[in-house]
Amino acid sequence: MSDDDVMLVNFATDEGDASSNARQNVKVVGGKWKDRRRLKMMVDGEPSKRKRLENTPEIEREIKKVKEAGFSSQEFTRRPVPKKTSNDTSRTAASTANSNIVSSLFTSNREMTTSVNTNKHDENAQINPSNAPLLEDSFEAIGVKEPLVSHLAEKMRIKKPTNIQKQVISQFCSATEKDNDLFINAQTGSGKTLAFLLPILSRILDMNVRVDRKSGCFALIIAPTRELASQIYSVASMLTNSCHYLVPCLLIGGERKKSEKARLRKGCNFIIGTPGRILDHLQNTKVIKEQLGHSLRYVVLDEGDKLMELGFEETITEILQILHDVPVDNSSFHGLPSRIVHVLCSATLQGGVKKLGNVALTNYKLIKSGKNADNAVSEVPDQLLQKIVFVSPKLRLVTLAGILDGISKKSNPEETSRTIVFLTCSDSVDFHYDAFSSSNGNYRALAGDSVRQLTKGNTILPSFSDDEDPGVIFYKLHGSLPQPTRVATLDHFSKNNEFTKGKHLIMFCTDVASRGLDLPHVGTVVEMDPPFSTEDHLHRTGRTARAGQKGEAILFLFPGEEEGYLERIKPSHPKGWKLVKYDEEILKPAFDSTNVKRNDKESEKPLEKTLGWDTNATTWHLNIERRVLEDPNFKSLAMKAFTSHVRAYATHISQEKQFFNIKFLHLGHLAKGFALRERPKGIAFQSAKSKDDSQGRAKKPSSESGKNKMFRMARMAVKESVSEFNY
Ligand SMILES: Nc1ncnc2c1ncn2[C@@H]1O[C@H](COP(=O)(O)OP(=O)(O)OP(=O)(O)O)[C@@H](O)[C@H]1O
């Protein structure tokens, strides 16, 4: 085993006297046999023949804390100082200086280097929301027709246009001889959906021709995810409730094609869908071409940059080719444009969008809103409070627990609080969802087991008490879930009703929920894993602080190279950010006031005094680690989550490899962040091995080089992340 083998003391706690039993149950894994033997002797209390390694005062303090928490076997180990290799950048002076305690939560972590906040958020500044409705304007004044105006006000409680709506609708509503293509570039949550739907509907209603679903499809709207397409479809359905003779239709993957064909045959005036399914129908459902032939006048590409980034470019080009092959029939619908008008929507104006502009837009008009001081669109709403937490890999899980605990303490019986936790892959979503929702089994599965309400006796978060329902519901959402489960989960999370009122709804999800999704009043977005690109970061944080509402976003970054990412996102945060100390501002408030109960037999012994927050945090983490040791299903979730996380980490875009690079990661510490104690290599091998075992195939040791293996893992992760947006 190589030098970076982490030698661990896996202790199983048992009845009776913890110390002697713990000693008997101590199992030393990893490392070199000599070290294992020496450590075993140490733990068994036999004096080593060799010169005993002296414990530094810090180690003595750590040992005392772990003993205080009732763990008599030593929580951490010592190992020989790793041979310094030339390119060994993953260890800092701290880890070598502390004679290498490697499995304790609070030691051997890399120190953060950012002490000065170069982009400090001014907490006293009076900030007006930059994506709020404009009080001095009205939809009527900018050209929206009845019955839409009263429908917006009475049924959707939308009375005043936002900036981008004012600009687009006034430009788009009036029939002009030259209907330009349009590129709508505005902040997240600024109302881009209505900005393109309202003028199209107004132009249709304004025609002096009576239309109905048989009149044909006037607008084709394409979105990168099923959830976003479904959301646009529901907004279009709400709007057409004011004019029932107009009908929208939804074409997305995961739904039955047969029922979609039937709906198309009946006729619809708006087709909303995902690229793959739309192209499939264009190529195989004859009726859709007839539908589009003489009536199509608008093609809208929502979240245009994502459509380019996920390799949809080819599909989009094929769709446009088919549409452009059908000549526009100008003999009817004179009130509509005489050509197909292309509209591109995005909060981020990046290369991908420009590329799409070349593919889809010709001499387009760019309409921006939310300009900041130097007239650039600040993609992030001004009222969004961005927080940054530098937290070591080992401390990820317990720090997230501290954040969620802080949120769950803010109880307002009249309000429903919503939090979204973004992770990079579906396996990691499954693991974190299970780690937080199914502790000691006290939960009630609500929708296809991707929604779990915690019940009395669930004490996963330190502020929970044994004698009342925690008032928290956990959700998970990712592209690998069956479509009905995805729909049911999102529906449950979005609903404001008696059941969710006064509760804290916390959703673990992948980037499938980062784009365009308009979920009501999300108060906090936590980016536990860094985004794959700056645009993704902006869209993730854009799930909160929408339409003038307040909101906060918390970004986890590892100390070290990842700190450099701040310079990269600084231009997107002209209002600055707040650096949050994970220990003093997150863990201490969460773990200081009550002792964390252990989830093993030991817990029957009440502790006399309140232990320190770091000891309680250690106990909390050991509880999760013990579940991994004792529950094979949970261990499998943790192992798959870790392996997929490492694969996904390897796929950061090349411009960001200087911050997010696998060679800077301490994989042993990262494994601890997934409550795993076995060394990462072992895990990767083991998960592959267990997979082969399950398929009865003996896996030949691969001669694949480390570099090729990493590239292979990265390719797998990219494939998986694209499948997230399976369309
Ligand atoms: N004029 C308005 N007044 C009040 N609320 C509005 C208005 N326009 C839109 N909204 C609401 O604002 C929220 C965000 O709208 P929408 O999803 O269209 O934003 P967006 O710009 O598309 O965001 P993203 O960039 O994330 O896709 C929705 O809940 C919508 O109902």
Side-chain angles (χ1 to χ4, degrees), residues 471-540:
V472 168
I473 304 176
F474 281 111
Y475 300 76
K476 71 174 175 180
L477 181 69
H478 55 68
S480 311
L481 290 172
Q483 182 60 18
T485 304
R486 285 165 68 167
V487 173
T489 304
L490 211 51
D491 192 45
H492 199 287
F493 183 77
S494 312
K495 278 267 177 307
N496 281 323
N497 54 31
E498 275 318 299
F499 187 78
T500 56
K501 196 159 121 183
K503 290 195 177 69
H504 299 282
L505 314 185
I506 300 170
M507 177 157 74
F508 294 98
C509 62
T510 55
D511 280 326
V512 76
S514 67
R515 284 291 174 151
L517 273 198
D518 178 59
L519 303 166
H521 307 311
V522 171
T524 305
V525 164
V526 180
E527 292 186 87
M528 188 174 181
D529 291 339
F532 285 114
S533 66
T534 310
E535 297 77 55
D536 285 350
H537 164 65
L538 299 173
H539 285 278
R540 284 172 161 190

Side-chain angles (χ1 to χ4, degrees), residues 2 64 80 233 372 503 546 702:
S2 76
K64 183 168 170 292
Y233 171 75
N372 58 20
K503 290 195 177 69
R546 298 174 72 76
S702 69

